[in-house]
Amino acid sequence: MAAYLLKRMLLIIPTMLGIMLISFTIIQFAPGGPIERIIAQVSGNEVSAADRVGGGSGDGLRRGSAAQASAETSKYRGAQGLDPEFIKSLEKQFGFDKPAHERFLLMMKNYLTFNFGKSYFRDVSVMQLIREKMPVSISLGIWITLLTYMISIPLGIRKAVHDGEKFDTWTSGLLVLGYGIPGFLLGVLLLVVFAGGSFFQWFPLRGLTSEGWENLSLFAKVRDYLWHLVLPLTAMAVGSFTTMTFLTKNSFLDEIRKQYVTTARAKGLGEARVFYGHVFRNAMLIVIAGFPSAFIHAFFSGSLLVEKIYSLDGIGLLSWESVINRDYPVVFATLYIFALLGLVVQVLTDFVYTLIDPRIDFESREV
């Protein structure tokens, strides 16, 4: 097992290199960039969202004409009339005075020591930004993952035991209904109904803590923190229960119907011994396999819209805003961290496999 884990850990290096190289290449061909944004701000011609989508106004056409005319004198749109030395200073400031391959190699060299540089548009290091936003995303990711597993696994097991009965039927209907409701839509509904919108004011409107939280007692801090989590976690969790519950149910049904279960019963073993001594261990393997993707999804992309709705300043919102603003150091840093985290968690999952079922031998497989 140690040899297999070592191979998997070593494979993380080329995998990460491939992920970063593909992402870096795509960025090179993406329209716009930090220099274009600065030029637009300096010249007062920053394009609004409406103009980008379908703006057909006269002002938008004039901007397009100016950009087309400036293309003859500069590779940056809107640079016509600006001092070339100013453009060169911007390129040097953002590191675009070097060839693309040199910039990529320098970036990867710095990333080996988790040196992500500084944000283009915030006077702070990227690592400091991530440290400031991380607690919110960690809170959401850990709680939603624990909540999903704590509810879905027992529910899925009971549905498997009572397959085809009334309990299985009506719970399946509720799960499908919850899965069909978008998380962001449910988040808005909960906000309107329970956070002082039009009906009740039972829960806070935004954030993870109240004002003056630092001055509260330990018990009051915990209660206030959990109070703020109720609506965001509800919005995120309702849809996530369905997949895990049905995965658990189907996994247990597959094991219950196998021959070794019939043989165990024929030997006179009790149902509890058969279920928890044989079925449970085998059925839980596929459930554990879904843990890495479930955690990463909840930790990042799953919390993006909820963070926006409830004004939770986490990693998901930071990454989205960085993509929109072309803040490339933050974009690549968050991509690097989440890709690395996902790969490491996959290796840890294989290790947990062997703890649950020692019969699994990864070393006999080709990596």
Side-chain angles (χ1 to χ4, degrees):
M1 184 61 187
Y4 171 79
L5 291 178
L6 179 60
K7 291 178 183 178
R8 286 294 303 270
M9 294 299 292
L10 292 176
L11 277 175
I12 290 178
I13 299 175
T15 304
M16 287 296 303
L17 186 62
I19 292 174
M20 299 305 296
L21 179 59
I22 293 173
S23 303
F24 184 85
T25 303
I26 292 174
I27 288 294
Q28 305 311 304
F29 296 99
I35 294 181
E36 282 88 344
R37 183 185 175 191
I38 295 295
I39 290 174
Q41 291 175 346
V42 170
S43 60
N45 291 327
E46 190 169 9
V47 182
S48 66
D51 292 330
R52 288 174 184 166
V53 173
S57 65
D59 186 45
L61 291 174
R62 284 193 295 272
R63 289 196 193 104
S65 300
Q68 185 176 3
S70 67
E72 299 177 0
T73 59
S74 174
K75 61 181 178 180
Y76 301 110
R77 293 183 301 173
Q80 186 178 24
L82 295 179
D83 186 358
E85 293 299 323
F86 173 70
I87 303 298
K88 290 182 180 180
S89 67
L90 287 178
E91 290 180 338
K92 186 175 182 179
Q93 175 184 347
F94 292 116
F96 291 108
D97 56 331
K98 299 181 180 66
H101 68 279
E102 289 186 16
R103 287 187 278 121
F104 176 75
L105 293 176
L106 179 61
M107 181 182 73
M108 294 308 301
K109 178 183 177 182
N110 292 331
Y111 280 18
L112 289 176
T113 57
F114 291 91
N115 177 17
F116 301 119
K118 295 185 66 174
S119 168
Y120 281 165
F121 303 108
R122 310 184 194 198
D123 190 22
V124 64
S125 68
V126 175
M127 184 57 75
Q128 182 179 339
L129 269 178
I130 293 175
R131 281 198 298 262
E132 291 175 356
K133 314 298 181 183
M134 191 69 77
V136 173
S137 294
I138 289 178
S139 294
L140 293 175
I142 290 179
W143 281 110
I144 192 61
T145 304
L146 290 177
L147 190 63
T148 300
Y149 272 72
M150 289 172 62
I151 294 177
S152 297
I153 291 178
L155 180 59
I157 293 174
R158 187 174 180 186
K159 286 174 64 64
V161 173
H162 299 280
D163 182 43
E165 299 179 8
K166 288 184 177 181
F167 174 81
D168 180 41
T169 302
W170 69 261
T171 52
S172 295
L174 290 178
L175 289 170
V176 172
L177 178 63
Y179 186 76
I181 302 176
F184 72 92
L185 185 61
L186 179 61
V188 173
L189 177 63
L190 293 174
L191 205 65
V192 171
V193 176
F194 297 109
S198 302
F199 300 92
F200 309 102
Q201 195 169 1
W202 294 349
F203 297 98
L205 187 63
R206 59 173 61 88
L208 283 181
T209 56
S210 302
E211 293 185 8
W213 182 81
E214 298 81 3
N215 301 322
L216 299 176
S217 65
L218 178 60
F219 176 77
K221 285 182 178 180
V222 173
R223 183 180 61 182
D224 181 75
Y225 167 71
L226 295 176
W227 183 45
H228 281 75
L229 278 176
V230 172
L231 294 187
L233 287 182
T234 302
M236 294 174 62
V238 169
S240 63
F241 290 148
T242 306
T243 303
M244 183 57 61
T245 301
F246 281 113
L247 177 66
T248 304
K249 174 192 173 183
N250 293 332
S251 178
F252 274 83
L253 283 178
D254 288 341
E255 293 297 323
I256 289 173
R257 293 166 180 169
K258 288 184 178 179
Q259 184 63 40
Y260 75 88
V261 176
T262 304
T263 303
R265 287 170 175 165
K267 290 181 178 180
L269 295 180
E271 284 297 319
R273 178 80 178 275
V274 172
F275 192 82
Y276 292 104
H278 296 78
V279 174
F280 186 85
R281 183 178 62 183
N282 296 328
M284 283 300 294
L285 289 175
I286 191 171
V287 178
I288 293 174
F291 177 81
S293 59
F295 178 75
I296 296 299
H297 176 76
F299 189 61
F300 178 60
S301 59
S303 64
L304 172 58
L305 293 174
V306 173
E307 286 181 12
K308 185 68 174 178
I309 293 171
Y310 291 96
S311 301
L312 304 175
D313 199 7
I315 294 292
L317 188 58
L318 172 66
S319 302
W320 171 254
E321 291 176 347
S322 300
V323 171
I324 297 299
N325 295 327
R326 303 296 194 267
D327 198 346
Y328 294 151
V330 180
V331 173
F332 285 121
T334 52
L335 173 65
Y336 182 84
I337 290 175
F338 282 108
L340 182 61
L341 179 63
L343 293 172
V344 171
V345 170
Q346 288 286 358
V347 177
L348 293 178
T349 301
D350 288 347
F351 178 69
V352 175
Y353 266 143
T354 61
L355 294 180
I356 295 178
D357 191 348
R359 297 172 300 174
I360 296 178
D361 183 14
F362 287 109
E363 293 187 9
S364 62
R365 296 172 45 191
E366 291 292 334
V367 180

